[in-house]
């Protein structure tokens, strides 16, 4: 099994093999600096997700945080990121199993802006 620290150091080929066919190709118009490839952006995104660092603190071995965010935005708009992520989740569930009772639904790091002191009633 691949550990999270391994993902932070290197994007495994088997993970890239799931994402590569569904992510749209990178187009370069021939002006300015050539864009980073999808693999580098995906690796940077996974690094941010695993480490929890802010976009501004992405190490220089990855594309900058703004580049990764804009690429992710395109992937999400096209639905390609979700398709690949679901395929990986299904594969992981087949091999390792997922304890759905302990899955975190809301990963927000920020306090709710209009959050009150009283909890909502249990349903």
């Amino acid at each position: 099994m691949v550990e999270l620290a391994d993902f932070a150091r290197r994007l495994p080929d088997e993970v890239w093999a799931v994402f590569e066919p569904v992510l749209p190709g990178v187009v370069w118009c021939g002006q300015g600096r050539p864009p980073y490839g999808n693999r580098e952006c995906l690796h940077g995104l996974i690094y941010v997700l695993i480490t929890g660092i802010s976009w501004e603190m992405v190490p220089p071995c990855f594309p900058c945080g703004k580049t990764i965010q804009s690429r992710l935005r395109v992937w999400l708009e096209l639905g390609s990121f979700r398709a690949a992520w679901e395929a990986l989740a299904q594969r992981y569930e087949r091999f390792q199993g997922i304890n759905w009772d302990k899955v975190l639904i809301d990963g927000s790091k920020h306090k709710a802006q209009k959050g009150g002191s009283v909890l909502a009633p249990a349903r």
Side-chain angles (χ1 to χ4, degrees):
M1 177 170 156
V2 177
E3 297 293 327
L4 288 179
D6 294 336
F7 270 94
R9 287 187 210 101
R10 182 187 65 83
L11 182 64
D13 291 336
E14 57 269 15
V15 172
W16 176 240
V18 173
F19 277 90
E20 183 179 24
V22 296
L23 296 179
V26 179
V27 178
W28 182 47
C29 299
Q31 298 178 359
R33 186 182 331 166
Y36 281 96
N38 282 335
R39 185 173 184 142
E40 292 85 7
C41 291
L42 178 64
H43 189 193
L45 172 63
I46 291 174
Y47 182 85
V48 169
L49 293 174
I50 289 172
T51 61
I53 64 171
S54 68
W55 292 109
E56 295 83 23
M57 299 300 293
V58 174
C61 60
F62 296 109
C64 74
K66 287 186 179 187
T67 299
I68 298 169
Q69 281 180 307
S70 65
R71 194 70 59 87
L72 175 61
R73 194 173 302 113
V74 170
W75 296 342
L76 290 172
E77 287 171 1
L78 296 174
S80 53
F81 184 82
R82 182 181 179 114
W85 197 259
E86 286 176 355
L88 279 176
Q90 289 170 359
R91 181 177 176 185
Y92 186 86
E93 186 171 23
R94 274 195 318 270
F95 293 121
Q96 298 291 324
I98 296 175
N99 184 351
W100 292 106
D101 293 333
K102 297 193 181 214
V103 172
L104 180 64
I105 299 299
D106 183 3
S108 177
K109 297 180 184 178
H110 303 287
K111 185 178 176 184
Q113 289 189 359
K114 295 184 180 182
S117 60
V118 180
L119 297 175
R123 295 182 188 205

